[in-house]
Amino acid sequence: MKTLFLFTLTIVLAFNLNARENPFEATNAYEEEAARIIEQNEIDDNSINESAYIQEMQEKMSKVSKINENEKKVEEAIKKLTPALKVEKTYTKKEVKKLIKKAQVQSESKVKRLVKKELAKKEMIEPKQIVYVKPRTDIIEDEMTTKTKVLLDFIKVEYNDNKLIIHTKDAISKKFNIDKENKLIIDYKARKNFYTKREDLDSLNFKKIAVGNHKKEKFYRVVILLSMKPSNYKVEYKDNLITISSLK
């Protein structure tokens, strides 16, 4: 009985070992392995797709971020440049002429400043030779103290303390003196219609002057009252002008 049990057990074990060692014997192991591989591939494919999707999204986000950064940089650059930008203006012919003239004036002014600066430098390098000239008192007196009186529309006089000049376009007829009365008399050829004119003169040598009309005789007369005898005065004729100068 014991021997029969051992024999039966040996046959069962041998059958099981035979089944495992036979590669052509149909079993469920192949289907199980195939299912495992397919499942693994699906898992791997999903992993690969998910990883690719994540990478793609990261790249897109990176690009968007870069675009935003570039846009910000452009906006900042525009803000910095905006104050310096000027609106182009259309000028009329009149405005263009004014601008040209202004530019010319500025250019001339600049040149003048440069020339003045260079001259100043030259003067510093080459000092001027200063010559002192004593002023002539007689010329200053004549120029500064000369007075004018318009006696009539055709005759006037300029005078100071030492000289008297008669201005008229009429020709001289004659000249003579009245020594007792200190008078100098000058006649002019002309037929004029006017009343006698007398004027006081603010001068040391010439006190008064009078112009009288002699229409019938075709002349008029100028009488000058002097401070001294007529012999103390010099009378000159030039270009229809009579100049009377004091000799003292």
Side-chain angles (χ1 to χ4, degrees):
M1 187 69 179
K2 185 177 182 182
T3 303
L4 181 60
F5 175 76
L6 290 174
F7 177 77
T8 302
L9 180 62
T10 302
I11 292 171
V12 172
L13 290 173
F15 178 78
N16 288 336
L17 288 174
N18 185 28
R20 290 183 181 179
E21 289 175 0
N22 185 3
F24 298 103
E25 186 176 359
T27 62
N28 292 329
Y30 176 78
E31 286 80 359
E32 292 176 357
E33 184 64 21
R36 187 186 66 78
I37 292 172
I38 291 171
E39 184 180 358
Q40 184 65 40
N41 289 336
E42 288 178 355
I43 293 171
D44 292 341
D45 289 341
N46 291 334
S47 298
I48 291 169
N49 292 334
E50 184 178 355
S51 177
Y53 175 76
I54 293 171
Q55 185 176 357
E56 182 181 357
M57 292 303 295
Q58 288 178 345
E59 290 177 356
K60 288 182 179 180
M61 291 178 68
S62 177
K63 288 181 180 180
V64 171
S65 178
K66 287 181 179 179
I67 290 170
N68 291 335
E69 289 180 1
N70 292 334
E71 288 179 353
K72 287 182 180 179
K73 289 181 180 179
V74 171
E75 288 177 359
E76 290 177 358
I78 290 171
K79 287 181 181 179
K80 290 180 180 179
L81 292 175
T82 298
L85 295 176
K86 294 183 179 179
V87 179
E88 186 177 355
K89 182 181 178 181
T90 303
Y91 293 94
T92 62
K93 289 183 179 180
K94 189 174 182 181
E95 289 175 333
V96 170
K97 288 182 180 179
K98 285 184 179 180
L99 290 172
I100 292 172
K101 188 173 181 181
K102 184 178 179 181
Q104 289 176 345
V105 171
Q106 289 176 347
S107 179
E108 290 176 1
S109 178
K110 187 175 181 181
V111 171
K112 287 180 181 178
R113 287 199 301 270
L114 290 173
V115 171
K116 189 175 181 181
K117 190 175 180 180
E118 292 298 323
L119 289 175
K121 288 180 181 178
K122 188 175 180 181
E123 288 178 358
M124 290 177 66
I125 296 172
E126 299 178 2
K128 290 182 179 179
Q129 183 178 1
I130 301 173
V131 179
Y132 293 95
V133 179
K134 185 178 179 180
R136 291 178 58 183
T137 56
D138 56 338
I139 294 175
I140 293 174
E141 183 180 2
D142 288 347
E143 292 178 353
M144 297 297 292
T145 62
T146 299
K147 304 176 183 65
T148 302
K149 274 189 180 293
V150 179
L151 303 174
L152 295 163
D153 58 352
F154 56 88
I155 185 169
K156 72 174 183 177
V157 293
E158 289 183 319
Y159 67 96
N160 55 30
D161 285 338
N162 300 311
K163 188 182 293 184
L164 183 143
I165 302 171
I166 301 173
H167 295 266
T168 182
K169 294 181 179 179
D170 300 321
I172 298 170
S173 173
K174 63 181 177 180
K175 186 270 294 184
F176 60 95
N177 304 326
I178 301 177
D179 292 338
K180 291 182 181 180
E181 299 180 4
N182 292 342
K183 290 182 180 180
L184 175 64
I185 299 170
I186 303 168
D187 292 343
Y188 289 91
K189 293 179 182 179
R191 181 176 287 181
K192 304 285 186 182
N193 187 15
F194 64 91
Y195 294 105
T196 300
K197 182 72 177 289
R198 295 181 178 85
E199 290 285 348
D200 293 332
L201 302 176
D202 184 14
S203 171
L204 295 176
N205 280 285
F206 309 101
K207 293 184 177 181
K208 294 182 180 181
I209 187 169
V211 184
N213 189 16
H214 296 269
K215 185 177 181 181
K216 292 182 179 180
E217 290 80 7
K218 299 180 182 180
F219 77 92
Y220 62 89
R221 175 169 291 174
V222 177
V223 180
I224 303 165
L225 179 60
L226 307 170
S227 297
M228 297 179 289
K229 298 295 181 182
S231 58
N232 294 313
Y233 297 86
K234 179 182 179 181
V235 180
E236 296 178 306
Y237 303 89
K238 186 177 181 181
D239 299 331
N240 288 336
L241 294 178
I242 292 182
T243 303
I244 305 165
S245 304
S246 173
L247 297 176
K248 292 184 179 180

